[in-house]
């Protein structure tokens, strides 16, 4: 059977919870695509608007929509989406290492992008995230979760238990925000590392989770990252961070110990990095400054006399901006200038 | 094609935006998804039979740094390829304003190109015509991401090159596409013999030649037939001195030169693979800070430094931050591209590149 004169059914047809998923071949381009029929209970207008918004966004981490068709058997609408060759993220399939942080960073970047377009995923979980053969994280099933009618008692239920934010467990239809994705992101981080969920997260509705529980599962990650991920699990949505902030802190950790600064003194370049962390600069008998690399930033660790960074007085603890001129001496006297430029490898998906 | 015409009941044809050697490109509106797309159709006289095969091949590549293939349509005897529309301009247009790229921008371009080409090579697709005019990037003076286009006609390009080689000497071809490709064409492609099929390493050479052009401001072997002669004689131009003269830029410039030198190995077996190139780029340290366009206000401190005006106030710069062949001065070269860093009383500009004034 050909759908819309071009899509040929192949492979097993899986009846997913959120939409019937069908593997097809697009006969025009001889490539695999995925057909998802829209389920009753999903507001079609809203969903199609969101899908178009995502298409315009062209995020690296969002699955591409190619077409919208009507199914011949029941006249239902279906999305034709790009098929991602790769594997879904595995529950408890990761360790708290750099690879894990890189995956979390990519998910966070994807959610940051879609939240900027005012789209809420509604059903983020490891089996809605796939890594393609190039190592790029792709998030799918945006907005496919139905908003109402899962059962009579919990009219407002959206998404998948455990990944559902506490505010979604109410008795009445409620309003919700991008913070439900932030919560699901936090649970996803836990689920990727551990086969055992903290009991507080399994409660319905979920309860505040003890910091020690989170720490235990995220052991090996830096403290500030653990704090940020724990904040994603806050009961009050307004206490959860924005995805952009989560992405930024993850990127910071991916760059830990990978910066390089070049200081040019009297036309001679000196390199600072993780193997050479300090530079001591002395000018005359009364002026000096030491800059130290702590893995994240380059900081003034010692300063004596009149020393300025981009014309502002240098003080101990000050973080050097990306590029600057360090001036030894004051206007009117013989001054020495040092340029200091910081760069790092570009973190890419 | 007619403006306003609708293809496949879905794509409304807009303005003509480009003409390759083999195809016409239109901007079109996808009425179903409400996005702009690039609609490509073979030029009259071009064989359409291979167009579909080319589209199928390109559709296998799925990467952010490659323009996506969306659709292929045959309608009323005409064929169309629908590709992701990348709003912005080509690297060729970018270089018309920049003349050269500083090592930070250069490293970014190389890294993103390597990523895109690696993904296509994984899918078994060789581009064969990589050049600045086939790489799209954002409008304005920033380059923060780029996408390689025209994988969709890779098969056609291959046919064209093969035909020319079978007819005798490819480098003497009068085809506009071949002449345009020569400055970036690998030796094994230029001097191929019937039955030879240059593959992935040819793309790596093209990346190298393109990067040389962007970093040095010149074609590594010249243009047209001159390129073929110089490649044959293995007479490549030297890296210009300005790249390494200033200590702030020296280190990254040297690192980039080393990578590009490897890509321009005459023996294809000596070139890095796209994966190796990605890995080499992964260790390059470069700034991705936003670029802004400024005007020189006046030079100060006896020409040792100067002040720039921007939309958000004045900036200070030192001549040590000026990169390239041209330096700003009060009578000419007053348009510059810089990144901004906090300072008192003025923010600091670094690096400083003289660019052509807005056309």
């Amino acid at each position: 059977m050909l759908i819309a004169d071009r899509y040929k059914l192949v492979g097993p047809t899986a009846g997913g919870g959120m939409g019937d998923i069908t593997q097809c071949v697009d006969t025009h381009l001889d490539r695999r695509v995925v057909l998802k029929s829209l389920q009753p209970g999903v507001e079609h207008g809203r969903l199609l608007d969101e899908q178009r918004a995502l298409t315009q966004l062209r995020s690296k981490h969002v699955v591409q929509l190619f077409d919208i068709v009507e199914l011949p058997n029941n006249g239902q609408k279906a999305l034709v989406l790009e098929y991602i060759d790769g594997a879904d993220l595995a529950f408890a399939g990761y360790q708290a290492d750099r690879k894990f942080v890189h995956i979390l960073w990519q998910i966070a970047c994807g959610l940051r992008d879609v939240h900027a377009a005012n789209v809420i995923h509604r059903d983020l979980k490891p089996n809605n995230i796939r890594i393609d053969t190039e190592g790029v994280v792709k998030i799918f099933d945006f907005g496919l979760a139905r908003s109402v009618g899962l059962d009579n008692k919990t009219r407002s239920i959206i998404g998948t238990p455990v990944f559902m934010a506490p505010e979604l467990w109410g008795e009445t239809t409620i309003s919700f925000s991008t913070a439900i994705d932030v919560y699901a992101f936090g649970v996803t981080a836990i689920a990727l590392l551990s086969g055992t969920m903290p009991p507080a997260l399994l409660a319905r509705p979920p309860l505040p989770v003890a910091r020690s529980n989170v720490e235990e599962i995220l052991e090996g990650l830096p403290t500030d990252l653990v704090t940020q991920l724990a904040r994603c699990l806050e009961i009050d949505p307004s206490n959860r961070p924005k995805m952009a902030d989560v992405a930024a802190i993850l990127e910071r950790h991916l760059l830990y110990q990978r910066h390089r600064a070049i200081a040019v003194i009297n036309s001679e370049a000196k390199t600072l990095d993780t193997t050479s962390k300090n530079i001591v600069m002395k000018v005359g008998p009364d002026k000096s400054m030491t800059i130290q690399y702590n893995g994240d930033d380059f900081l003034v660790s010692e300063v004596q006399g009149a020393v300025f960074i981009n014309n502002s007085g240098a003080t101990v603890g000050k973080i050097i901006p990306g590029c600057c001129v360090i001036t030894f001496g004051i206007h009117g006297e013989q001054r020495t200038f040092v340029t200091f430029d910081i760069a790092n490898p570009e973190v890419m998906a | 094609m007619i403006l306003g015409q609708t293809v496949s009941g879905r794509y409304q044809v807009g303005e003509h935006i480009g003409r390759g050697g083999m195809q016409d490109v239109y901007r079109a509106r996808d009425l179903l998804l409400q996005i702009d797309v690039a609609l490509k159709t073979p030029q009259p006289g071009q064989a359409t039979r291979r167009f579909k095969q080319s589209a199928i091949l390109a559709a296998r590549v799925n990467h952010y740094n490659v323009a996506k293939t969306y659709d292929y349509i045959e309608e009323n005897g005409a064929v169309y390829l629908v590709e992701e529309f990348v709003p912005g301009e080509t690297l060729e247009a970018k270089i018309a304003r920049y003349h050269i790229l500083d090592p930070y921008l250069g490293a970014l371009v190389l890294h993103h190109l390597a990523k895109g080409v690696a993904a296509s090579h994984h899918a078994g697709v060789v581009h064969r015509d990589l050049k600045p005019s086939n790489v799209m990037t954002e409008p304005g003076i920033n380059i923060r991401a780029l996408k390689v286009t025209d994988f969709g006609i890779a098969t056609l390009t291959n046919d064209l090159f093969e035909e020319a080689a079978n007819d005798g000497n490819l480098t003497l071809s009068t085809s506009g596409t071949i002449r345009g490709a020569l400055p970036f064409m690998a030796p094994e492609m230029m001097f191929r013999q019937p039955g030879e099929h240059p593959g992935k390493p040819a793309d790596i050479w093209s990346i190298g030649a393109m990067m040389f052009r962007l970093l040095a401001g010149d074609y590594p072997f010249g243009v047209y037939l001159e390129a073929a002669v110089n490649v044959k004689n293995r007479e490549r131009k030297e890296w210009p001195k300005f790249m390494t003269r200033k200590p702030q830029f020296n280190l990254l410039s040297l690192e980039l030169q080393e990578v590009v030198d490897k890509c321009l190995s005459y023996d294809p077996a000596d070139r890095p693979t796209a994966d190796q190139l990605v890995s080499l780029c992964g260790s390059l340290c470069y700034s991705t800070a936003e670029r802004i366009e400024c005007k020189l206000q006046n030079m100060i401190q006896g020409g040792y430094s100067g002040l720039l005006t921007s939309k958000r106030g004045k900036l200070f710069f030192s001549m040590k931050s000026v990169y390239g062949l041209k330096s700003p001065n009060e009578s000419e070269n007053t348009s510059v591209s810089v990144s901004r860093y906090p300072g008192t009383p003025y923010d600091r500009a670094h690096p400083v590149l003289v660019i052509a004034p807005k056309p």
Side-chain angles (χ1 to χ4, degrees):
Chain A
M1 179 179 69
L2 273 189
I3 296 164
D5 271 340
R6 68 186 286 183
Y7 304 107
K8 190 166 76 185
L9 296 172
V10 291
T13 298
M18 292 308 165
D20 281 339
I21 304 157
T22 313
Q23 302 233 9
C24 287
V25 164
D26 172 8
T27 55
H28 284 200
L29 283 163
D30 194 23
R31 69 173 164 191
R32 286 172 84 171
V33 291
V34 172
L35 223 81
K36 286 204 169 155
S37 59
L38 305 188
Q39 294 300 287
V42 177
E43 317 94 305
H44 288 191
R46 186 262 303 161
L47 179 67
L48 293 181
D49 282 351
E50 284 180 4
Q51 290 292 328
R52 287 182 179 123
L54 290 173
T55 305
Q56 281 155 25
L57 186 70
R58 299 194 309 176
S59 168
K60 199 179 273 191
H61 304 291
V62 175
V63 169
Q64 183 76 41
L65 173 67
F66 290 134
D67 203 355
I68 302 167
V69 295
E70 257 179 35
L71 298 180
N73 50 348
N74 54 11
Q76 239 175 31
K77 287 219 170 190
L79 305 176
V80 181
L81 296 151
E82 115 187 88
Y83 168 78
I84 303 295
D85 194 9
D88 290 352
L89 294 186
F91 283 85
Y94 297 87
Q95 282 140 28
D97 56 10
R98 184 181 166 81
K99 181 182 164 196
F100 172 71
V101 174
H102 190 240
I103 288 169
L104 284 190
W105 172 73
Q106 292 194 60
I107 303 169
C109 287
L111 290 175
R112 173 198 64 196
D113 296 347
V114 303
H115 288 174
N118 294 316
V119 175
I120 305 170
H121 187 290
R122 296 162 178 247
D123 194 19
L124 187 81
K125 55 185 174 185
N127 25 1
N128 277 341
I129 308 169
R130 181 168 277 202
I131 300 186
D132 75 10
T133 48
E134 295 298 315
V136 179
V137 163
K138 300 279 184 181
I139 308 171
F140 45 92
D141 281 1
F142 276 90
L144 285 188
R146 53 194 128 189
S147 325
V148 289
L150 190 70
D151 64 51
N152 297 332
K153 279 179 195 155
T154 50
R155 292 197 329 117
S156 59
I157 245 175
I158 295 165
T160 307
V162 181
F163 297 93
M164 275 169 53
E167 63 267 30
L168 296 174
W169 289 91
E171 290 283 320
T172 51
T173 307
I174 39 82
S175 67
F176 54 87
S177 70
T178 52
I180 68 166
D181 287 348
V182 180
Y183 182 87
F185 173 84
V187 182
T188 296
I190 303 252
L192 294 178
L193 291 179
S194 167
T196 330
M197 281 279 157
L201 294 181
L202 294 172
R204 298 182 180 195
L207 302 166
V209 59
R211 164 89 188 196
S212 57
N213 273 298
V214 180
E215 272 174 4
E216 204 180 314
I217 291 167
L218 301 179
E219 197 187 343
L221 296 183
T223 313
D224 59 339
L225 189 49
V226 174
T227 302
Q228 191 80 327
L229 292 173
R231 283 184 59 213
C232 295
L233 300 170
E234 286 276 351
I235 299 293
D236 181 350
S238 65
N239 287 337
R240 292 175 211 146
K242 298 279 174 221
M243 276 332 292
D245 298 329
V246 179
I249 200 163
L250 287 161
E251 180 167 346
R252 185 178 162 95
H253 284 289
L254 289 170
L255 288 174
Y256 184 66
Q257 305 280 30
R258 284 163 192 250
H259 303 83
R260 179 168 83 183
I262 295 173
V264 179
I265 307 154
N266 299 325
S267 298
E268 207 177 301
K270 292 213 189 322
T271 302
L272 273 82
D273 57 21
T274 183
T275 57
S276 174
K277 291 184 169 144
N278 292 294
I279 184 167
V280 182
M281 296 169 280
K282 281 187 193 298
V283 176
D286 58 344
K287 290 184 278 287
S288 71
M289 181 158 86
T290 306
I291 294 174
Q292 199 163 34
Y293 176 46
N294 67 8
D296 289 317
D297 292 303
F298 294 84
L299 300 142
V300 177
S301 62
E302 174 270 338
V303 62
Q304 260 192 349
V307 186
F308 303 89
I309 298 168
N310 280 354
N311 260 345
S312 298
T315 48
V316 169
K318 184 167 180 157
I319 293 173
I320 308 282
C323 291
C324 68
V325 177
I326 300 160
T327 311
F328 293 85
I330 55 168
H331 197 67
E333 68 178 9
Q334 176 76 36
R335 292 186 291 177
T336 300
F337 300 97
V338 175
T339 61
F340 198 91
D341 304 314
I342 303 166
N344 50 260
E346 187 176 5
V347 183
M348 288 180 76
Chain B
M1 269 201 295
I2 310 150
L3 192 78
Q5 172 193 349
T6 303
V7 172
S8 191
R10 176 168 171 184
Y11 305 103
Q12 192 167 44
V13 180
E15 86 255 42
H16 187 249
I17 50 174
R19 177 175 286 125
M22 289 170 277
Q23 56 177 354
D24 280 308
V25 188
Y26 296 83
R27 180 178 176 145
R29 185 71 178 171
D30 177 351
L31 300 172
L32 181 66
L33 301 185
Q34 293 166 15
I35 52 168
D36 284 341
V37 296
L39 189 71
K40 303 186 166 186
T41 190
Q43 276 173 9
Q46 283 288 330
T48 55
R49 67 198 153 83
R50 296 278 277 161
F51 206 64
K52 179 170 188 175
Q53 199 174 340
S54 211
I56 287 170
L57 202 62
R60 287 173 17 193
V61 185
N62 175 16
H63 193 268
Y64 185 75
N65 295 117
V66 175
K68 278 190 177 158
T69 304
Y70 287 159
D71 205 350
Y72 172 82
I73 298 146
E74 293 177 3
E75 191 178 69
N76 303 326
V79 296
Y80 306 93
L81 173 65
V82 182
E83 206 180 79
E84 176 178 1
F85 175 77
V86 187
E89 58 191 18
T90 67
L91 273 185
E92 190 66 47
K94 207 66 105 180
I95 212 68
R97 282 206 77 193
Y98 262 103
H99 184 57
I100 51 139
L101 297 185
D102 63 81
Y104 301 152
L105 286 179
L108 183 142
V109 168
L110 177 61
H111 198 172
H112 288 235
L113 273 179
K115 279 272 193 183
V117 171
S120 66
H121 284 186
H122 295 157
V125 183
V126 183
H127 191 290
R128 295 189 177 84
D129 193 17
L130 290 170
K131 55 187 179 189
S133 56
N134 275 340
V135 180
M136 287 300 299
T137 181
E138 66 202 283
I141 60 166
N142 274 289
I143 308 179
R144 282 169 294 201
L146 52 81
K147 288 180 195 277
V148 183
T149 67
D150 269 359
F151 272 102
I153 55 164
T155 309
L156 305 187
T157 311
N158 188 35
D159 289 354
L160 178 76
F161 290 176
E162 184 161 358
E163 229 165 82
N166 289 342
D167 286 350
N169 191 335
L170 180 148
T171 64
L172 296 175
S173 167
T174 53
S175 148
T177 301
I178 291 179
R179 281 164 59 83
L182 277 178
F184 308 101
M185 193 183 281
E188 68 271 23
M189 186 74 86
M190 283 182 178
F191 309 113
R192 66 190 275 180
Q193 300 300 314
E196 287 180 0
H197 298 283
K200 294 170 185 170
D203 278 351
I204 304 298
W205 170 283
S206 297
I207 290 176
M210 201 190 314
M211 287 312 303
F212 189 98
R213 164 92 173 83
L214 298 173
L215 293 168
D218 200 358
Y219 298 93
F221 299 94
V223 293
Y224 305 134
L225 194 56
E226 180 198 2
V229 172
N230 285 331
V231 168
K232 179 144 213 153
N233 297 332
R234 302 195 169 191
E235 280 174 3
R236 200 187 92 190
K237 286 181 187 140
E238 307 245 324
W239 286 108
K241 294 278 185 290
F242 71 79
M243 286 185 70
T244 45
R245 193 178 290 139
K246 291 190 171 164
Q248 278 174 281
F249 303 102
N250 175 282
L251 189 53
L252 185 55
S253 281
L254 286 175
E255 288 168 337
L256 284 169
Q257 289 178 359
E258 194 185 331
V259 176
V260 173
D261 286 344
K262 282 182 187 155
C263 296
L264 290 175
S265 299
Y266 294 100
D267 183 346
D270 291 341
R271 290 173 215 150
T273 63
D275 281 336
Q276 286 166 341
L277 202 52
V278 167
S279 143
L280 287 169
C281 291
S283 63
L284 295 176
C285 285
Y286 55 94
S287 158
T288 54
E290 188 193 4
R291 298 299 168 104
I292 54 169
E293 188 172 346
C294 297
K295 282 276 180 195
L296 179 70
Q297 180 186 289
N298 60 293
M299 299 301 296
I300 55 173
Q301 298 171 335
Y304 180 81
S305 42
L307 291 175
L308 305 169
T309 55
S310 79
K311 281 179 191 152
R312 284 201 298 119
K314 283 184 209 171
L315 289 91
F316 167 90
F317 75 95
S318 157
M319 286 300 278
K320 286 181 178 169
S321 288
V322 175
Y323 181 85
L325 281 169
K326 295 178 180 173
S327 290
N329 64 62
E330 285 166 21
S331 53
E332 54 178 3
N333 301 341
T334 55
S335 292
V336 292
S337 154
V338 308
S339 289
R340 174 197 291 268
Y341 295 93
T344 318
Y346 308 118
D347 284 350
R348 179 175 176 248
H350 175 85
V352 178
L353 263 88
V354 171
I355 54 173
K358 251 194 203 122

